């Protein structure tokens, strides 16, 4: 239940997001973010909020630990839609977190994969990739490089 304790606090976030998905594109866009994460449910979950000042939007992540299954479910909501996206579910192993789920993109079913890696006390990396072929191939489409804000 302590897998995400590293994330508690405030972070500067460098975002790189792919503009065109599933087209072999290389139109990456970089933009800043500021995130804050706090524990919830006696560390059985956590909530983080991220603001994207240059985009005029924000997001919220809710992570819940399933005590029975020993897995995390991660839910994302965007101020642009006001909806909660389907969760990705998974675990950490050897310092890397892998979380998978089903979603849609432009009306067609996809698989989503979140990866947490390169975790230190002052930095971490999050990556999102999608698969349109049931997980046979993956396309990275969003990378966040987090660096801890000074206290």
């Amino acid at each position: 239940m302590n897998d995400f304790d590293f994330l508690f606090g405030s972070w500067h976030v460098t975002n790189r997001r792919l503009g065109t998905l599933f087209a072999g594109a290389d139109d990456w866009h970089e933009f800043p973010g500021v995130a804050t994460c706090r524990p919830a449910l006696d560390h059985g979950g956590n909530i983080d909020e991220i603001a994207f000042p240059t985009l005029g939007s924000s997001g919220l992540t809710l992570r819940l630990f399933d005590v029975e299954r020993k897995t995390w479910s991660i839910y994302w909501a965007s101020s642009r839609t006001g909806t909660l996206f389907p969760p990705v579910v998974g675990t950490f192993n050897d310092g890397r977190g892998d979380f998978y789920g089903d979603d849609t993109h432009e009306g067609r079913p996809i698989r989503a994969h979140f990866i947490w890696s390169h975790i230190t006390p002052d930095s971490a990396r999050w990556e999102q990739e999608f698969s349109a072929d049931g997980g046979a191939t993956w396309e990275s489409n969003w990378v966040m490089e987090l660096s801890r804000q000074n206290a």
Side-chain angles (χ1 to χ4, degrees):
M1 286 179 44
N2 299 22
D3 294 322
F4 281 103
D5 286 4
F6 73 89
L7 198 53
F8 299 156
S10 298
W11 301 85
H12 294 288
V13 184
T14 301
N15 294 272
R16 289 184 63 242
R17 189 169 59 195
L18 189 62
T20 309
L21 304 183
F22 301 118
D26 193 27
D27 56 344
W28 289 90
H29 305 280
E30 189 168 307
F31 54 96
V34 178
T36 302
C37 183
R38 63 178 176 79
L41 303 174
D42 197 26
H43 288 261
N46 58 71
I47 297 170
D48 76 54
E49 293 185 73
I50 186 166
F52 307 111
T54 61
L55 302 181
S57 64
S58 60
L60 180 132
T61 305
L62 171 65
R63 298 177 191 88
L64 299 171
F65 186 74
D66 183 322
V67 177
E68 188 174 307
R69 291 186 175 91
K70 307 277 191 253
T71 58
W72 286 95
S73 293
I74 303 174
Y75 301 85
W76 166 256
S78 169
S79 66
R80 290 185 175 188
T81 63
T83 61
L84 198 59
F85 286 75
V88 292
V89 178
T91 61
F92 278 86
N93 188 24
D94 293 327
R96 175 184 158 120
D98 287 284
F99 308 88
Y100 295 89
D102 295 314
D103 205 338
T104 60
H105 175 71
E106 296 180 347
R108 70 183 203 195
I110 62 164
R111 292 282 293 157
H113 179 203
F114 292 3
I115 304 160
W116 278 99
S117 64
H118 301 88
I119 298 166
T120 74
D122 295 315
S123 63
R125 176 185 171 99
W126 173 86
E127 182 175 357
Q128 172 180 274
E129 56 184 15
F130 289 161
S131 174
D133 57 14
T137 61
W138 294 91
E139 178 181 72
S140 178
N141 60 60
W142 195 345
V143 177
M144 293 182 176
E145 299 287 348
L146 291 82
S147 60
R148 189 171 299 282
Q149 291 183 3
N150 292 334

